[in-house]
């Protein structure tokens, strides 16, 4: 049975940037009525494709029931990735995004997912594999695909700590380990007493380039001291994040915090504020102030700001680094999910990708110890 006909669902393929720009208003409309992350907003997808789309094929699926847009599958195609002789259907943003999922109008989940799986069953051939990275374990997609005719496999890709924010900063502080809480309070008071300290959020577009340059310099110096490349190791990555910061500021979804000593930025924290959740993306601090715990101070003040603004969640995103355990014990998981035709070749593709994921996860675990 063709579920697309049962639900009167039609699918439009978006295969060019001009077509993508044409559906910007629809994408934003769906963001208002769907579970959304910073990494599947229109701004993230467009900028990501601009900087990292070379050699890939844009392949976004837009679903309608009648005249109502009900969801988006923000896909792209890659070819012979990591030596695998197959094309992969992947989320746009794979590799350097933290949560990737489908954008589905609330109340239309069944229509969307049944139509999507029906389409994938027909489209995926002997040399195509669905390879979904960083998909949250709570995604509603899984049971629909698991009930299909496709072969599938999955593995944990990342652990993602988060805080369920209480009503007050004092209540949150009281939930922390006593020694860590005392140190946090002491170091915060000492910084503002001994230095010309200030804490602020970048609010105007004219300041973004300066603030992002400061963040990049501080972050990179930290990682170079560890003989590691750091996130901002290439000009392309730096320009991507600077463009994203500008777009998200204009949209009202950027929170770029700065801790200063007089006019000098000594710590910086980049986060995205979507709905009632704040997503802590990256930070950096001045090594000359490391003994003053400025990295810890700015993170504490960012969480305090979130509580005061009435946020429900402060999300540390992927990575189970030791320092996050000071702030929360709550964790969720991202999944690497693959599916293919139930043939020998299809099963091999899935096995290959999951084996690749296990190796990468072991490497990540070593660096988070």
């Amino acid at each position: 049975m063709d579920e697309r006909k049962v639900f009167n669902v039609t699918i439009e393929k978006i295969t060019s940037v001009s077509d993508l720009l044409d559906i910007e208003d629809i994408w934003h409309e769906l963001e208002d009525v769907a579970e959304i992350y910073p990494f599947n907003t229109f701004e993230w997808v467009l900028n990501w494709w601009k900087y990292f789309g070379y050699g890939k094929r844009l392949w976004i699926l837009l679903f309608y029931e009648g005249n109502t847009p009900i969801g988006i599958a923000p896909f792209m195609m890659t070819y012979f990735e990591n030596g695998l002789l197959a094309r992969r259907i992947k989320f746009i943003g794979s590799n350097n995004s933290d949560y990737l999922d489908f954008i589905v109008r609330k109340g239309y989940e069944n229509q969307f997912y049944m139509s999507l799986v029906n389409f994938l069953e027909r489209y995926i051939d002997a040399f195509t594999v669905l390879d979904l990275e960083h998909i949250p374990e709570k995604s509603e997609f899984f049971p629909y695909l698991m009930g299909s005719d496709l072969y599938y496999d999955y593995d944990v890709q990342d652990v993602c700590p988060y805080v369920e924010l209480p009503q007050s900063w004092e209540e949150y502080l009281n939930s922390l380990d006593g020694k860590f809480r005392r140190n946090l309070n002491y170091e915060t008071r000492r910084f503002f007493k001994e230095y010309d300290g200030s804490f602020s959020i970048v609010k105007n577009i004219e300041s973004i380039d300066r603030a992002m340059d400061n963040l990049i310099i501080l972050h990179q110096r930290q990682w170079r001291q560890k003989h590691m490349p750091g996130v901002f190791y290439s000009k392309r990555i730096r320009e991507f994040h600077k463009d994203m910061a500008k777009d998200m500021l204009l949209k009202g979804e950027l929170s770029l915090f700065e801790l200063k000593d007089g006019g000098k930025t000594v710590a910086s924290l980049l986060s995205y504020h979507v709905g009632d959740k704040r997503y802590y993306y990256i930070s950096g601090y001045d090594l000359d102030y490391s003994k003053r715990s400025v990295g810890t101070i700015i993170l504490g003040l960012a969480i305090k700001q979130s509580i005061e603004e009435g946020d429900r969640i402060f999300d540390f995103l992927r990575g189970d680094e030791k320092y996050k355990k000071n702030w929360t014990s709550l964790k969720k998981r991202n999944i690497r999910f693959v599916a293919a035709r139930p043939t020998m070749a299809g099963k091999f593709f899935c096995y290959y990708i999951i084996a690749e994921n296990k190796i990468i996860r072991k490497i990540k675990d070593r660096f988070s110890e």
Side-chain angles (χ1 to χ4, degrees):
M1 181 181 296
D2 191 339
E3 297 292 348
R4 288 173 295 173
K5 294 180 180 177
V6 171
F7 293 125
N8 191 29
V9 170
T10 56
I11 302 172
E12 178 183 352
K13 294 180 185 177
I14 308 300
T15 58
S16 69
V17 173
S18 61
D19 290 341
L20 176 57
L21 292 171
D22 285 342
I23 65 165
E24 179 177 1
D25 290 343
I26 293 173
W27 200 301
H28 284 146
E29 176 195 345
L30 286 169
E31 287 180 17
D32 292 336
V33 293
E35 177 76 17
I36 198 75
Y37 303 102
F39 316 103
N40 56 8
T41 59
F42 180 84
E43 289 74 16
W44 188 276
V45 167
L46 182 64
N47 279 293
W48 193 95
W49 190 258
K50 172 184 174 182
Y51 285 100
F52 307 109
Y54 179 78
K56 306 171 182 68
R57 177 186 168 200
L58 197 65
W59 201 68
I60 296 169
L61 306 178
L62 174 58
F63 291 71
Y64 292 87
E65 184 175 67
N67 294 320
T68 302
I70 64 169
I72 297 172
F75 286 148
M76 64 180 179
M77 293 276 198
T78 68
Y79 299 87
F80 312 129
E81 188 178 339
N82 295 336
L84 188 65
L85 297 177
R87 61 178 177 176
R88 303 193 198 196
I89 302 172
K90 305 187 71 168
F91 283 128
I92 296 172
S94 295
N95 298 325
N96 54 354
S97 303
D98 288 67
Y99 298 131
L100 296 171
D101 204 352
F102 303 97
I103 304 165
V104 187
R105 183 184 292 270
K106 292 176 183 177
Y108 288 82
E109 292 84 359
N110 194 47
Q111 295 95 313
F112 175 83
Y113 287 116
M114 290 190 76
S115 301
L116 171 63
V117 170
N118 181 285
F119 178 86
L120 292 173
E121 284 179 318
R122 294 165 181 266
Y123 185 85
I124 292 175
D125 60 25
F127 292 95
T128 303
V129 60
L130 180 70
D131 178 12
L132 302 183
E133 296 191 61
H134 312 303
I135 184 166
E137 61 183 337
K138 70 173 187 175
S139 175
E140 296 182 59
F141 172 67
F142 296 132
Y144 289 92
L145 197 288
M146 289 174 176
S148 75
D149 294 332
L150 296 171
Y151 174 83
Y152 66 87
D153 199 356
Y154 58 90
D155 188 34
V156 174
Q157 189 169 19
D158 293 293
V159 174
C160 308
Y162 67 99
V163 181
E164 290 183 350
L165 297 172
Q167 294 296 311
S168 71
W169 173 241
E170 289 303 318
E171 186 179 349
Y172 174 66
L173 281 177
N174 289 334
S175 72
L176 302 177
D177 173 77
K179 182 179 179 181
F180 177 72
R181 177 177 65 249
R182 289 189 293 273
N183 287 341
L184 173 62
N185 284 331
Y186 173 75
E187 294 295 348
T188 302
R189 287 194 302 268
R190 184 170 74 158
F191 177 80
F192 285 99
K193 180 179 180 180
E194 295 183 2
Y195 297 92
D196 182 17
S198 64
F199 173 74
S200 61
I201 304 177
V202 178
K203 294 184 176 180
N204 60 76
I205 197 72
E206 294 79 15
S207 301
I208 283 293
D209 278 332
R210 179 224 19 112
M212 285 298 295
D213 285 339
N214 285 338
L215 168 65
I216 290 166
I217 290 169
L218 294 174
H219 177 83
Q220 290 302 108
R221 284 178 179 170
Q222 280 179 249
W223 284 91
R224 285 172 183 161
Q225 186 186 51
K226 302 175 184 178
H227 307 290
M228 298 288 289
V231 168
F232 302 108
Y233 62 88
S234 75
K235 181 179 179 181
R236 181 171 55 168
I237 292 173
R238 293 191 292 271
E239 293 302 314
F240 164 71
H241 283 292
K242 290 172 77 170
D243 280 357
M244 270 305 306
K246 293 171 186 175
D247 286 349
M248 294 297 265
L249 178 67
L250 292 172
K251 196 179 179 184
E253 294 182 349
L254 178 78
S255 295
L256 179 50
F257 298 103
E258 292 186 313
L259 185 67
K260 292 185 177 182
D261 174 16
K264 182 179 183 180
T265 301
V266 298
S268 184
L269 188 152
L270 173 66
S271 65
Y272 297 108
H273 190 228
V274 180
D276 56 2
K277 300 177 184 178
R278 196 180 303 275
Y279 298 87
Y280 165 33
Y281 190 75
I282 203 166
S283 64
Y285 62 84
D286 192 321
L287 294 172
D288 293 337
Y289 290 75
S290 59
K291 292 183 179 180
R292 293 294 181 261
S293 303
V294 291
T296 301
I297 293 170
I298 194 172
L299 180 50
L301 292 174
I303 294 174
K304 183 173 184 287
Q305 181 81 21
S306 288
I307 293 171
E308 291 173 350
E309 291 183 11
D311 289 337
R312 186 169 58 87
I313 298 290
F314 189 94
D315 198 317
F316 281 89
L317 300 179
R318 55 187 168 128
D320 199 20
E321 294 88 349
K322 273 188 176 180
Y323 80 90
K324 296 179 182 179
K325 294 177 175 63
N326 291 322
W327 301 95
T328 185
S329 61
L330 299 177
K331 300 175 183 178
K332 51 192 173 181
R333 302 180 301 173
N334 280 350
I335 304 298
R336 182 82 173 263
F337 190 92
V338 294
R341 301 303 311 172
T343 61
M344 186 175 295
K347 292 178 180 180
F348 171 77
F349 295 151
C350 292
Y351 171 82
Y352 183 99
I353 293 170
I354 293 300
E356 171 189 85
N357 184 76
K358 290 181 184 296
I359 292 170
I360 294 171
R361 187 154 56 91
K362 283 184 179 180
I363 294 171
K364 287 181 179 178
D365 289 344
R366 286 185 62 187
F367 283 105
S368 65
E369 292 176 353

